[in-house]
Amino acid sequence: FYFRNKHRPFLLFVSLLHVHTPLITTEKFLGRSRHGLYGDNVEEMDWVVGKLLDAIGKNGLKNTTFVYFASDHGGSLEAHRGNARMGGWNGIYKGGKGMGGWEGGIRVPGIVRWPGVLPTGTVIDELTSLMDIFPTVVHLAGGVVPQDRVIDGHTLLPLLQGTVQHSRHEFMFHYCGVFLHAVRWHQKDRGTTWKAHYATPAFQPEASGVCSGRGLCPCVGDGVTHHDPPLLFDISRDPSEANPLSADTE
């Protein structure tokens, strides 16, 4: 693996097919994991990322390369083959891919590496977004984001380097297609994150947490429940979004 641009700035974007249905796994990794075909996919993805990081190191670029690893959405809960879950698992978080606002669909890994520049082993519990990648890359390249429009993202560098303690995001809006389903507010003076759901998918079966009858939760129409007043959660204390707050309880 040779970097043509090893002596000048480069941007390498790798969009992996792995851990996305239909879970195409090469023969070398079939049966590697104790967690079925999805686990095999994770193992192969891990191997690919490892090869890329090895190549960065072998080309002498380890301490001059900013690496950001993330996903564009949480696991797809509707993806099954028989009893086997094909689309991943979202742990304690409710919902999954394509659901507009539930945490299981929008909380994703955000893993950063830049030896010698960023401190190791740091966990940052602040609100960031994939929209932050663009201004971060522009910042690293020494450029300035367009000034003739609102840019939704913010550079991650001050937060990652510890020069600021809080994300610049106060509000984050969560859409399903073009429809606003939820919004979160980070109340910085209290360290609390509130989340309001204006619309949620109507699960099938009702208590299942998935839209198995449709294959994918709809964004609008009879497959969506509208909430007035909105469902309100304190994500700081209830990350599973299990207990909506009300005037009677809070």
Side-chain angles (χ1 to χ4, degrees):
F1 200 125
Y2 178 74
F3 284 85
R4 286 195 306 269
N5 292 333
K6 64 183 290 185
H7 297 300
R8 57 181 179 171
F10 66 88
L11 173 66
L12 174 63
F13 175 77
V14 180
S15 183
L16 295 165
L17 182 65
H18 298 76
V19 303
H20 198 295
T21 53
L23 298 181
I24 299 167
T25 311
T26 60
E27 189 173 342
K28 179 181 176 182
F29 286 90
L30 282 173
R32 277 278 194 96
S33 167
R34 292 178 297 172
H35 300 283
L37 195 56
Y38 189 89
D40 295 343
N41 243 238
V42 172
E43 298 235 358
E44 186 163 6
M45 178 178 67
D46 181 64
W47 176 81
V48 171
V49 172
K51 295 293 282 186
L52 284 167
L53 294 180
D54 286 346
I56 288 170
K58 287 174 182 174
N59 282 273
L61 301 170
K62 186 175 179 180
N63 291 348
T64 55
T65 302
F66 175 82
V67 178
Y68 186 100
F69 176 88
S71 175
D72 61 341
H73 55 70
S76 174
L77 303 184
E78 286 78 18
H80 282 266
R81 183 182 294 166
N83 291 326
R85 194 190 295 264
M86 305 295 286
W89 180 62
N90 297 320
I92 68 169
Y93 302 113
K94 190 172 186 175
K97 174 185 176 181
M99 294 190 190
W102 293 119
E103 291 293 280
I106 56 181
R107 281 211 190 208
V108 296
I111 304 171
V112 174
R113 190 187 82 154
W114 194 357
V117 177
L118 302 179
T120 60
T122 302
V123 177
I124 298 173
D125 187 18
E126 286 287 314
L127 187 64
T128 64
S129 163
L130 293 182
M131 293 185 293
D132 295 331
I133 294 175
F134 168 62
T136 301
V137 169
V138 171
H139 181 163
L140 288 169
V144 178
V145 297
Q147 300 296 298
D148 60 344
R149 71 205 73 181
V150 174
I151 300 296
D152 292 316
H154 304 291
T155 175
L156 293 168
L157 266 297
L159 193 61
L160 295 173
Q161 292 177 311
T163 57
V164 301
Q165 299 304 308
H166 295 294
S167 164
R168 287 180 61 189
H169 293 288
E170 182 179 4
F171 295 95
M172 195 72 79
F173 297 88
H174 305 300
Y175 285 82
C176 185
V178 297
F179 302 97
L180 179 65
H181 274 208
V183 62
R184 73 177 64 217
W185 172 38
H186 183 200
Q187 190 180 3
K188 296 177 185 178
D189 59 343
R190 285 183 53 176
T192 303
T193 300
W194 308 95
K195 178 108 159 281
H197 287 264
Y198 302 102
T200 55
F203 293 142
Q204 297 174 327
E206 191 173 335
S208 64
V210 298
C211 300
S212 53
R214 298 175 181 265
L216 188 67
C217 288
C219 296
V220 69
D222 62 357
V224 168
T225 302
H226 293 273
H227 304 281
D228 185 13
L231 292 178
L232 180 65
F233 297 92
D234 178 353
I235 298 293
S236 335
R237 293 189 297 173
D238 181 23
S240 299
E241 297 173 287
N243 303 299
L245 303 177
S246 71
D248 300 326
T249 60
E250 183 75 15

